[in-house]
Amino acid sequence: SKAVCEAGRKPTASSNVLGDVTVLGKKTTLSAAGTTKVEVPGVGEVRLDLSKTSTTSRTAAATALELDVAVNPLKLNVADVKGRVTLAQATCRSPQAPATPSPSAPAP
């Protein structure tokens, strides 16, 4: 993940994750970007957000992989786990651009 914020320039963000991961015992292929949801009946679910980016006029953020996890085997509340894991995140905020001096009025 990469975020670049330079004074006077538009911030940029990029991230790229490809390959396979095993989630809750299921092999899942990751694509270039987007969301993948893995559900295992009787165990729980994991939502994988891949290569997320966002920019504003002064900020940029990129996340390679973010997992939202909800696991409660057989809904017995023996191991009720909910949470978020973020891997390889980059953020930045550009400094305020220097003020441009206003043109001087012509002398009389």
Side-chain angles (χ1 to χ4, degrees):
S1 293
K2 182 178 179 181
V4 178
C5 298
E6 296 179 32
R9 294 192 178 192
K10 182 176 171 39
T12 61
S14 62
S15 192
N16 188 16
V17 177
L18 296 173
D20 297 328
V21 295
T22 301
V23 179
L24 300 177
K26 285 187 166 183
K27 185 175 178 180
T28 303
T29 299
L30 303 177
S31 60
T35 300
T36 301
K37 192 172 188 179
V38 177
E39 295 182 60
V40 177
V43 176
E45 67 181 44
V46 174
R47 179 184 145 156
L48 299 94
D49 286 312
L50 310 170
S51 303
K52 276 181 19 180
T53 61
S54 66
T55 58
T56 67
S57 61
R58 291 189 54 211
T59 64
T63 303
L65 178 61
E66 187 171 78
L67 308 170
D68 281 316
V69 179
V71 176
N72 186 353
L74 301 176
K75 300 204 185 283
L76 295 174
N77 295 324
V78 175
D80 189 5
V81 178
K82 292 184 180 146
R84 174 173 290 160
V85 177
T86 302
L87 303 173
Q89 182 178 48
T91 62
C92 65
R93 175 182 294 276
S94 62
Q96 192 76 25
T100 305
S102 58
S104 304

